[in-house]
Structures are given as structure tokens and as C-alpha cells.
Amino acid sequence: MKKIIMAVPLVEMDGDEMTRVLWKLIKDKLILPYVDLKTEYYDLGLQNRNSTQDRVTTQAANATKKYGVAVKCATITPNKQRMEEYPELTEMWKSPNATIRGILDGTVFRAPIITGNIKPTVRTWEKPITIARHAYGDVYKAAELITGEPGECTLTFRGESGAKQSISVAKVGGSAVWLGQHNTDESIRSFARACFQYALDTTQDLWFSTKDTISKVYDGHFKDVFETEFEAYRIRFEAAGIEFFYTLIDDAVARVVRSKGGFIWACKNYDGDVMSDMVSSAFGSLAMMTSVLVSPDGHYEFEAAHGTVTRHYYKFLRGERTSTNPVATIFAWTGALKKRGELDKLDDLQDFACRLEAASLNTLRDGVMTSDLASLVDDGTAVRAVDSWEFIGEIAKRL
Ligand code: NAP
Ligand code: MG
């Protein structure tokens, strides 16, 4: 068979543990036989991040800016326990995702992969609900304080011009806790643009919610920035037949649960953290959730929403064939190949990615699946739980 030719390389970021094992398997069995794969390869596995002083992560992010599209395998974010597990680590390296987000300045969009025979807990949901999570600031970059006596707390801003703004937070009669949080106009603006762009790319309505009735200045400012930025997109939204609307977060929650799905829900950082876990578990499994980082300049980084599946990796090291679900990682590849095909006008590359997605979904619809999904099927399909190798082999047959 003549292989599909690519024009511009994909930025390929390899990763760790079980997902690294699946990464190679997916490439060998599902992609390389059909595509003359062009990638610029970066090994983001923990050992290589350590031996390059984590420069490889920055290089990979910069390459994404150069080429526009990346596909990333899950990676270990070292913590104290990992420092003991990998004694050769010279530093507790930062989360690669945080480094990449910092360089690309993006918004993370997470959407469930729907099969039909795995029914969402919310019966009305027919189409995916995509969560767009602002990935900077608020409570994730807050200053916190605990105090032990009566007194007053104030919030002061000192401008570089020398101007000063100060307000009283509260006077308290005893011990208390305090929190100061912030966001920047630049970050909120790029969040808004990424959401508008993604809504246009995927032809879906965009909802945005905050609590601006209570937080009139802070959340009110998010709302204002979105409304101002929307003016540059309004005509394109009308032409695409999609809408943008703002509503209070409590109203949004009620509407989401009553909806049929099929829209993007833009959330502030904390809301997005919580709501994406709610949406993914209500749809079935974290292993069936795709994730893409979209930068305001239109750069894309595709990945699975789950981690490196450590528990399975240790079983694999003991010689066991695990039943680890590769679907979200396959969809990271297909998402990246489709985007590459779209940008380079390569119809056969896009078509191949669609066929690989269809082959994966059809395998699941036929009842052949990894064991995490087997218990979720409730439409009477006869289920055969298989290991990752057999599962990928079944996808290859259908492909
Ligand atoms: P995890 O790798 O997502 O796994 C947590 C559990 O979820 C697994 O033990 C497994 O449950 C289930 N699971 C997740 N993905 C699965 C899949 N594809 N197939 C089947 N089951 C799946 O999260 P973690 O154990 O908290 O984190 C492990 C490492 O991943 C950490 O070092 C963390 O830093 C890293 N991480 C990386 C990313 C990223 O690169 N984007 C994201 C999150 C975490 P059972 O064990 O019950 O089968
Ligand atoms: Mg979370």
C-alpha cells in the first residue's frame, strides 16, 4: 500500500510509564503502516527531562509554536514520592503541562469520547459537553494567610507609577483565614479568544459562566472582557450559525444537566477544574476524555486527559499484559493528524484520522473493550474485555 504523505512535521512529545508503552504500540500498529509519519520527536520522559535539565520541554513547546500542532503523551510530574522512586533526579521538575501552557499561553478544552453503548449518567446528554478551562490564576496563584487575633485585613495595590489603591477586606473579632487572588487582563483576553476560536473551529455554541452577581468587580471583569472581545468574532459566529451567551454559574449548572450536550462551556480556573471531573465521570471514564490546549495564536497541543497509569505500569513491568485503555491517546493522535491535514490541506490525512477514530469506536460498539469500560455498557451488547494489545489489534483489523 502507498503510504499517506505528510507535508509539515507534527511535534511528537513522548512521555512516561504505561502511556509510553501504549504510545509505541499505537504508532507501530495503527499509524506507521498507513502514514509516512513525519514528526519532530521530543522525549519528555522523566529521565530525559532530568538529563536535559528540562530544556527538552521548553524546546518541545517552542517547536509547537513553530509548526503549530503537537501530540503529547502523558508525563510524570515529580513529587516527593517520585524523588524517592527516581533517586537520579537532580530537581523536582515542574509539571511539563504547566511549562508548555506557560509558553503557549493557552486554554485547555476537554471533551468526552462518546460511543453510544456507554450511556452517560445524565440520560439527556446525547452529544459531548466540552469544558474550556482557563488555566491561569485565581485560587491557583493565591496568597493565603491565617491570623490569630482580632484585627483588620486590607488589600493594597502599589502601581509602578507610585499610585496606591487600598481597601479593607474585613475587621474580625478573633482568629481568621484570608485569601488574596488575582488574574490579568492579558490572560483573560487570551482565554476569551481561545474559546471563540475553538467554538468557530468546532461549530459549537459557547457558554460562559461566572458568579458576577456576587463578585461584581472580579467576575464582572471576566464577563466584560468576554463581551468586549466577542465583538471581533460576532460576524463569524453569525455566519457559522452558532451563539455565544453568558449566564450565572448556578444557572449554567442547571441548564447543563437539562441539556442534550453539544456545546462548549467556558469556566474560570476553579470551576473548570471541578466541572471537567464532573462531566468526565458523568460521561463514563477519564480514559475516554480528550484534551487539547489551544493558544490564542492558533497553536494546538493534543493529549489524553488521564495520567501515566502508574499502577498498570508496575503490573506491566512484572510481565503482565494490562487492560489499559488507549482510546484517549489514540484520539490525541487523530486530533493532531486531522489538524495537520486541515492546515496543510491533506484530505487523505484527515480521512485517515477519521477512519482510525471510527475503527476505535466501532471496536467498542462491537463490545470489544478494555476492562475499565466493560462494566459501563448497559445496552445489552455482549462484552469481551481484552488487554491493550488485543484491543489495538481489533482496532487494526477494523481499520
Ligand atoms: P492516572 O494515571 O490518570 O490513573 C489513575 C487511575 O485511573 C488508574 O490507576 C486507573 O485506575 C485509572 N485510569 C486512568 N487512565 C486509564 C486508562 N487509560 N485505562 C485504564 N484505567 C485508567 O492518574 P495518577 O495515577 O494520579 O497519576 C499517575 C501519574 O500521571 C502521575 O505521576 C501524574 O503526575 C501523571 N499525570 C500526568 C498527566 C498528564 O501528563 N497530562 C495528567 C495527570 C497525571 P485503576 O488503577 O483502578 O485501573
Ligand atoms: Mg481536578
Side-chain angles (χ1 to χ4, degrees):
M1 194 191 113
K2 206 167 141 271
K3 289 193 188 181
I4 296 162
I5 303 291
M6 290 177 67
V8 181
L10 268 181
V11 178
E12 176 184 355
M13 308 183 193
D14 208 343
D16 289 299
E17 299 192 316
M18 202 59 217
T19 39
R20 188 178 180 104
V21 176
L22 295 177
W23 193 259
K24 182 165 186 326
L25 200 60
I26 291 167
K27 275 174 67 181
D28 288 349
K29 300 285 179 203
L30 300 177
I31 299 173
L32 291 172
Y34 311 100
V35 180
D36 191 6
L37 190 65
K38 251 193 192 168
T39 73
E40 198 164 288
Y41 179 86
Y42 293 88
D43 182 1
L44 266 55
L46 185 57
Q47 272 98 349
N48 193 49
R49 272 181 279 146
N50 189 58
S51 52
T52 61
Q53 304 277 305
D54 207 23
R55 275 190 300 270
V56 66
T57 308
T58 305
Q59 285 162 355
N62 286 330
T64 309
K65 277 186 150 176
K66 177 173 169 198
Y67 293 112
V69 187
V71 57
K72 179 180 171 291
C73 180
T75 46
I76 292 172
T77 297
N79 54 14
K80 231 175 119 240
Q81 186 204 330
R82 294 292 196 175
M83 297 300 284
E84 287 158 20
E85 189 182 347
Y86 296 89
E88 71 276 20
L89 292 187
T90 53
E91 219 174 284
M92 205 190 284
W93 303 108
K94 241 175 83 174
S95 148
N97 286 30
T99 304
I100 295 165
R101 271 204 298 267
I103 293 171
L104 296 181
D105 180 20
T107 300
V108 176
F109 296 87
R110 291 198 159 171
I113 300 160
I114 312 266
T115 60
N117 53 351
I118 296 160
K119 290 274 180 266
T121 316
V122 179
R123 279 168 306 169
T124 51
W125 291 355
E126 291 166 6
K127 294 181 190 161
I129 294 168
T130 302
I131 300 280
R133 173 183 171 188
H134 185 208
Y136 175 82
D138 301 350
V139 74
Y140 300 85
K141 265 206 183 312
E144 299 185 309
L145 196 63
I146 183 159
T147 54
E149 60 171 318
E152 182 180 13
C153 183
T154 58
L155 192 61
T156 304
F157 172 80
R158 278 186 201 82
E160 285 184 355
S161 69
K164 195 170 108 175
Q165 280 172 273
S166 199
I167 55 160
S168 171
V169 178
K171 281 186 180 146
V172 292
S175 45
V177 283
W178 311 89
L179 173 78
Q181 58 182 45
H182 82 284
N183 225 296
T184 66
D185 272 25
E186 191 187 2
S187 177
I188 303 168
R189 230 180 351 250
S190 56
F191 171 44
R193 287 180 192 159
C195 291
F196 294 133
Q197 189 56 50
Y198 195 76
L200 286 170
D201 283 355
T202 59
T203 329
Q204 296 186 89
D205 288 346
L206 176 68
W207 304 13
F208 179 46
S209 59
T210 73
K211 191 70 178 175
D212 69 302
T213 45
I214 301 300
S215 171
K216 290 187 168 58
V217 174
Y218 196 106
D219 281 15
H221 192 60
F222 272 79
K223 179 185 176 192
D224 291 346
V225 170
F226 264 71
E227 280 171 358
T228 308
E229 290 300 315
F230 181 59
E231 289 314 314
Y233 294 85
R234 185 183 293 278
I235 291 169
R236 278 177 282 167
F237 265 58
E238 280 165 11
I242 56 174
E243 72 168 330
F244 161 61
F245 81 95
Y246 173 85
T247 186
L248 270 181
I249 181 107
D250 19 5
D251 178 53
V253 169
R255 283 178 190 244
V256 164
V257 171
R258 287 194 310 263
S259 77
K260 290 191 159 68
F263 54 88
I264 301 161
W265 182 11
C267 294
K268 286 176 61 201
N269 209 346
Y270 172 80
D271 299 339
D273 185 353
V274 177
M275 291 308 162
S276 68
D277 277 12
M278 192 271 289
V279 167
S280 69
S281 26
F283 268 110
S285 158
L286 196 60
M288 293 292 282
M289 194 87 173
T290 61
S291 186
V292 56
L293 174 73
V294 182
S295 85
D297 317 326
H299 303 132
Y300 296 77
E301 183 238 324
F302 293 84
E303 62 171 347
H306 58 79
T308 59
V309 213
T310 311
R311 200 180 67 83
H312 294 215
Y313 182 59
Y314 279 92
K315 281 180 153 184
F316 170 76
L317 289 181
R318 290 196 297 271
E320 214 175 298
R321 284 205 154 186
T322 61
S323 186
T324 317
N325 188 340
V327 173
T329 304
I330 294 172
F331 274 65
W333 274 100
T334 55
L337 290 171
K338 256 196 255 178
K339 181 53 76 180
R340 201 62 277 167
E342 185 193 316
L343 295 175
D344 306 341
K345 305 203 168 39
L346 299 173
D347 291 343
D348 50 355
L349 190 62
Q350 291 187 65
D351 181 57
F352 168 76
C354 293
R355 282 167 192 263
L356 177 48
E357 288 183 358
S360 308
L361 295 177
N362 285 336
T363 307
L364 296 171
R365 289 188 188 117
D366 291 344
V368 181
M369 52 188 68
T370 47
S371 52
D372 56 313
L373 298 180
S375 62
L376 301 174
V377 174
D378 71 345
D379 72 340
T381 315
V383 170
R384 189 156 66 87
V386 294
D387 66 41
S388 308
W389 287 260
E390 190 174 352
F391 181 62
I392 286 172
E394 289 287 334
I395 296 174
K397 266 189 216 165
R398 286 161 181 80
L399 181 62

